Amino acid sequence: MKALLWFVAVSLVVSISHCSKKPVGIARKEDIPYIKCQVCEKLGKELHQQVQKKQAEISPKKISEYQIIEITENSCNLKKSEADWILRIDIVEKGDRLELVEQDSEGQCNSECKTIERACQEVLGYSDTDVAEYLYKSKPNVDSLRNYLCKDLTKTCSTNPPPVPKDRTPGEPFVAKSDKEAEMEKILKSMEGMPGAPGMKMYSRDELMNMKNFGDEDADDEDEDDDDEADLPSKLGKVLREKESRKGDWKQVVRKGIADTSATLKKHADRVSNQIRKWWRGKKTTTSKKGSKAGKSEL
């Protein structure tokens, strides 16, 4: 029950944006053959730009091969910031072909977004380390990287794409995100994998109002040593209600909530670690005594 409580607590803290919950898009696999080569070319461009950007950030240090591998591995995963380039692309039908048109801002991720992600994953496949090694050792320009990735290594652009069927169902229109929504999603992505903050997502205001009392009915079941943990849901509810009543800086509220929750989680983890350590020491002592008695009896 505690694990579930912590999961919901952390999720609630990060969910205080005004973004509404969005439907999950599904990739249209039948569209992949028409866009795969273009996706590969855009992927090559993005990899080159991101490696150059990373090098500039850490200069005068030299970018490591591991850092390049990490960029390459994440470039086709929409849960990672390295794949944000996918969010700026719209699939447009022009005659008997599909064209990837880059937009000025990020858009809502629906089926087209998922289709590009899937095509990117099919292009890269198990070649991510090969591409990273080529980037690290050869330091190619954009055109050389595209040729290596799309023609030499994966053969993605070795043939022309087939014509698009006339009865193809058009995709959804490109809908740009608001600046606030885009910034919130960047915060969530930057926290991906953070200890004590798993599976975070955003909720609408109505969903938050329905969920803010979650966990109160189980508070009485906690031990006296866990008073801080038991009070956490009510404290989070207070934070949310204060957010509704004043027009403060929502980013500060998010960061403060995350910091408070992480501190409590660390306290809880330390307590559990100490209990395990004591148990293990007791077990070793008991085993040692048994071994000593057995030795005396043999004598």
Side-chain angles (χ1 to χ4, degrees):
M1 185 61 200
K2 286 183 180 180
L4 177 61
L5 186 59
W6 287 117
F7 173 79
V8 174
V10 177
S11 298
L12 282 173
V13 173
V14 190
S15 305
I16 57 178
S17 87
H18 297 284
C19 306
S20 58
K21 195 173 181 180
K22 301 176 286 296
V24 178
I26 300 175
R28 295 176 59 170
K29 297 180 182 179
E30 65 276 11
D31 281 352
I32 291 178
Y34 313 121
I35 64 171
K36 201 170 183 178
C37 177
Q38 295 179 70
V39 170
C40 183
E41 292 175 341
K42 288 190 177 294
L43 173 60
K45 173 187 172 183
E46 285 298 323
L47 288 175
H48 187 270
Q49 289 180 348
Q50 290 188 34
V51 169
Q52 293 295 318
K53 180 180 178 182
K54 185 67 175 180
Q55 178 60 73
E57 289 175 355
I58 64 174
S59 181
K61 293 182 179 180
K62 182 181 177 182
I63 189 170
S64 68
E65 187 171 3
Y66 172 77
Q67 289 173 312
I68 297 177
I69 289 174
E70 189 174 33
I71 291 173
T72 308
E73 287 178 343
N74 294 339
S75 60
C76 296
N77 183 355
L78 283 167
K79 294 181 180 179
K80 305 294 184 178
S81 60
E82 290 85 351
D84 285 348
W85 63 275
I86 296 176
L87 300 172
R88 297 190 298 272
I89 297 178
D90 184 24
I91 300 178
V92 179
E93 188 169 337
K94 291 189 175 182
D96 63 349
R97 64 190 183 91
L98 297 180
E99 184 175 331
L100 302 186
V101 180
E102 192 164 343
Q103 305 296 316
D104 294 331
S105 61
E106 294 180 4
Q108 303 288 352
C109 185
N110 296 311
S111 64
E112 289 191 355
C113 169
K114 292 292 186 180
T115 303
I116 297 171
E117 178 190 39
R118 181 62 178 266
C120 184
Q121 291 169 352
E122 289 190 11
V123 167
L124 204 55
Y126 296 104
S127 302
D128 48 359
T129 54
D130 295 324
V131 177
E133 182 180 7
Y134 180 72
L135 276 163
Y136 180 72
K137 293 183 177 180
S138 302
K139 297 177 178 56
N141 58 32
V142 177
D143 292 334
S144 297
L145 179 59
R146 282 174 172 169
N147 287 332
Y148 174 76
L149 174 62
C150 305
K151 294 181 180 179
D152 299 336
L153 184 63
T154 67
K155 311 296 183 185
T156 302
C157 295
S158 58
T159 58
N160 293 326
V164 176
K166 294 182 179 180
D167 59 350
R168 173 186 176 271
T169 304
E172 71 275 355
F174 184 90
V175 180
K177 295 178 184 176
S178 65
D179 292 340
K180 182 176 289 188
E181 184 176 6
E183 189 169 358
M184 172 57 77
E185 291 192 1
K186 280 182 171 58
I187 291 174
L188 295 185
K189 286 181 180 179
S190 68
M191 293 170 57
E192 187 76 22
M194 177 188 292
M200 295 175 296
K201 61 180 180 178
M202 292 181 287
Y203 296 90
S204 66
R205 187 179 302 183
D206 291 338
E207 289 173 321
L208 287 175
M209 294 303 293
N210 292 332
M211 294 174 63
K212 66 183 180 182
N213 292 323
F214 185 90
D216 288 347
E217 59 185 353
D218 296 321
D220 293 335
D221 296 334
E222 302 293 333
D223 297 331
E224 292 182 0
D225 291 338
D226 297 330
D227 287 341
D228 290 340
E229 301 166 22
D231 291 338
L232 186 57
S234 61
K235 290 179 181 178
L236 290 173
K238 182 179 179 181
V239 171
L240 295 176
R241 288 192 292 272
E242 289 176 354
K243 169 63 183 173
E244 290 293 327
S245 63
R246 72 179 190 276
K247 300 296 183 180
D249 186 348
W250 59 271
K251 286 192 286 188
Q252 291 181 2
V253 176
V254 170
R255 289 167 181 156
K256 184 179 183 302
I258 293 169
D260 292 345
T261 303
S262 297
T264 306
L265 283 169
K266 184 178 184 302
K267 179 181 177 182
H268 175 69
D270 289 342
R271 184 181 298 126
V272 172
S273 177
N274 288 334
Q275 291 174 349
I276 293 175
R277 193 178 294 111
K278 289 179 181 179
W279 171 83
W280 179 246
R281 287 175 180 170
K283 183 177 179 65
K284 288 177 67 177
T285 302
T286 303
T287 304
S288 177
K289 288 180 179 179
K290 288 182 179 180
S292 178
K293 290 180 179 179
K296 290 181 179 179
S297 63
E298 289 178 2
L299 292 173

